[in-house]
Amino acid sequence: MQAYLLGLPLYGREKIIGVMVLIRFGGPEYKDAQITLATIIGSWVSVLLNRKVHIETDQILSTLQQKVQLQDDFVATISHELRTPLGFIKGYTTTLLRKDTTWDDETKIEFLTIIDEETDRLTQLIDNILESAKLQSSTIELNLLPLRLDSLIRDVVVRVQARNKDLRIEVDLDKVPPIQGDNIRLTQVLDNLFSNSTKYAPGSNVLVRIKKEKKYLLITFSDEGPGIPNAYLPYIFERFYRVPGENNRFGSGLGLYICNQIILAHHGKIWVESEIDRGTTFFIQLPIENTA
Ligand code: ADP
């Protein structure tokens, strides 16, 4: 059977981007009016294809712009965060080294304590940056072992309490079955939540609970601080996200991002609820049968 072919070029902005081919098996031949109609349809198809390319290019551009924006924010946040502790360290060291003044022991200890604390902050910040860069390119590696979370929480609380005498921590820990978990990583999550509550809810009570819920363990971690406005809640686990207006408090927006990655690697879930002037509660759900 003879095939009659009609090929029509599809035009992009500067070049031909394809061909529309019409085939009529067994004839008759295409007439002039049909060729004109096919040419019109061909130009419509070209327009539609060009629009699709345009939309895709727009999407790629806007993703790139977001990435550039995130990188700019990152550089701005990190240089500010690095500069603050460095400024303290430099300032107090220069003061202590001044030849024209002598400092009594109490003042020396006060200055050295500040230098010590600021160095710890710097170390923590650099660790977080390195960690988050690693997490971008790979998932977290866990060292899974049978773990009693109620005992782990108790140990963390004793340690945190020893370091922050003023912090009032209440615990309500059910005796829960062991899970497969990474001791160091889960300790890191709790440390981070404690560090946030001392930072953002200073002077508040902190209540830590654990209980079993069907196939999961549920940790709740609540403070009675100023809370987080609803509008910002969906973003606080994002990398580098800080609630606007937090610039005067030390931080890089990496803490909760890292917590989330650790909990996800355990096949668990972390989320937050918060009420202005009432406080903030973080929930962590971890499967008892971990298949990680
Ligand atoms: P960072 O503390 O370095 O800013 P995080 O990822 O730990 O970063 O926290 C993200 C943001 O969530 C913080 O900037 C802060 O605004 C908010 N946030 C976290 N924990 C609390 C809390 N307990 N109370 C109020 N705000 C909090």
Side-chain angles (χ1 to χ4, degrees):
M1 188 185 288
Q2 193 180 350
Y4 291 86
L5 295 165
L6 181 59
L8 296 152
L10 299 174
Y11 292 102
R13 217 184 267 176
E14 283 161 5
K15 55 179 182 182
I16 293 176
I17 53 170
V19 182
M20 184 172 86
V21 180
L22 304 175
I23 305 175
R24 190 179 263 177
F25 290 101
E29 245 180 88
Y30 288 102
K31 296 204 176 75
D32 282 352
Q34 289 169 332
I35 294 172
T36 311
L37 182 63
T39 312
I40 294 169
I41 294 172
S43 52
W44 282 347
V45 173
S46 298
V47 170
L48 286 177
L49 283 176
N50 282 317
R51 248 194 85 195
K52 188 165 172 277
V53 171
H54 191 68
I55 291 170
E56 281 167 2
T57 317
D58 258 11
Q59 276 165 350
I60 294 170
L61 262 180
S62 95
T63 318
L64 277 175
Q65 269 164 352
Q66 273 171 5
K67 279 197 178 143
V68 170
Q69 183 60 42
L70 205 62
Q71 271 172 7
D72 285 353
D73 290 353
F74 169 72
V75 173
T77 311
I78 295 307
S79 37
H80 173 259
E81 295 310 324
L82 288 174
R83 220 168 258 150
T84 315
L86 270 179
F88 278 113
I89 295 168
K90 174 76 182 149
Y92 283 100
T93 316
T94 310
T95 312
L96 280 174
L97 287 173
R98 272 171 64 172
K99 294 220 168 63
D100 54 348
T101 325
T102 49
W103 305 102
D104 58 42
D105 279 355
E106 202 182 320
T107 314
K108 274 192 212 156
I109 295 219
E110 189 193 326
F111 288 2
L112 285 170
T113 309
I114 294 171
I115 294 173
D116 188 46
E117 285 170 1
E118 295 300 325
T119 316
D120 284 348
R121 282 179 170 199
L122 213 50
T123 313
Q124 194 204 344
L125 179 63
I126 291 166
D127 284 351
N128 276 350
I129 296 171
L130 290 178
E131 175 110 300
S132 87
K134 249 195 283 165
L135 288 182
Q136 277 259 294
S137 52
S138 63
T139 47
I140 257 178
E141 263 181 45
L142 296 179
N143 183 14
L144 292 178
L145 288 171
L147 188 81
R148 289 289 305 272
L149 264 182
D150 46 335
S151 328
L152 182 140
I153 296 175
R154 205 168 282 117
D155 291 348
V156 174
V157 167
V158 169
R159 189 165 41 78
V160 171
Q161 189 74 82
R163 254 192 284 144
N164 304 274
K165 296 266 188 291
D166 301 336
L167 194 65
R168 279 163 296 158
I169 310 174
E170 258 182 76
V171 287
D172 177 4
L173 308 175
D174 284 0
K175 198 163 176 291
V176 289
I179 61 159
Q180 286 292 314
D182 185 319
N183 184 5
I184 294 178
R185 292 305 195 171
L186 292 172
T187 303
Q188 192 182 352
V189 171
L190 290 167
D191 275 342
N192 236 316
L193 296 182
F194 271 115
S195 138
N196 276 354
S197 53
T198 40
K199 223 174 4 173
Y200 301 110
S204 145
N205 281 344
V206 174
L207 171 63
V208 193
R209 282 204 172 109
I210 184 160
K211 59 180 176 183
K212 181 172 174 280
E213 280 193 339
K214 293 184 186 151
K215 293 177 175 171
Y216 298 95
L217 298 186
L218 182 70
I219 302 175
T220 50
F221 191 105
S222 326
D223 65 50
E224 295 163 2
I228 305 168
N230 262 338
Y232 305 131
L233 287 179
Y235 308 108
I236 65 166
F237 294 101
E238 280 180 16
R239 197 168 177 243
F240 302 129
Y241 187 81
R242 305 200 71 205
V243 169
E246 292 298 6
N247 294 341
N248 47 355
R249 268 182 278 215
F250 176 82
S252 55
L254 290 174
L256 289 177
Y257 167 76
I258 293 173
C259 289
N260 189 30
Q261 298 298 316
I262 294 174
I263 299 300
L264 286 178
H266 281 84
H267 299 293
K269 225 167 85 177
I270 179 168
W271 70 99
V272 65
E273 286 175 10
S274 189
E275 222 181 307
I276 295 297
D277 294 334
R278 300 297 283 275
T280 303
T281 302
F282 287 92
F283 297 86
I284 298 173
Q285 194 186 49
L286 287 164
I288 297 171
E289 294 289 330
N290 196 341
T291 50

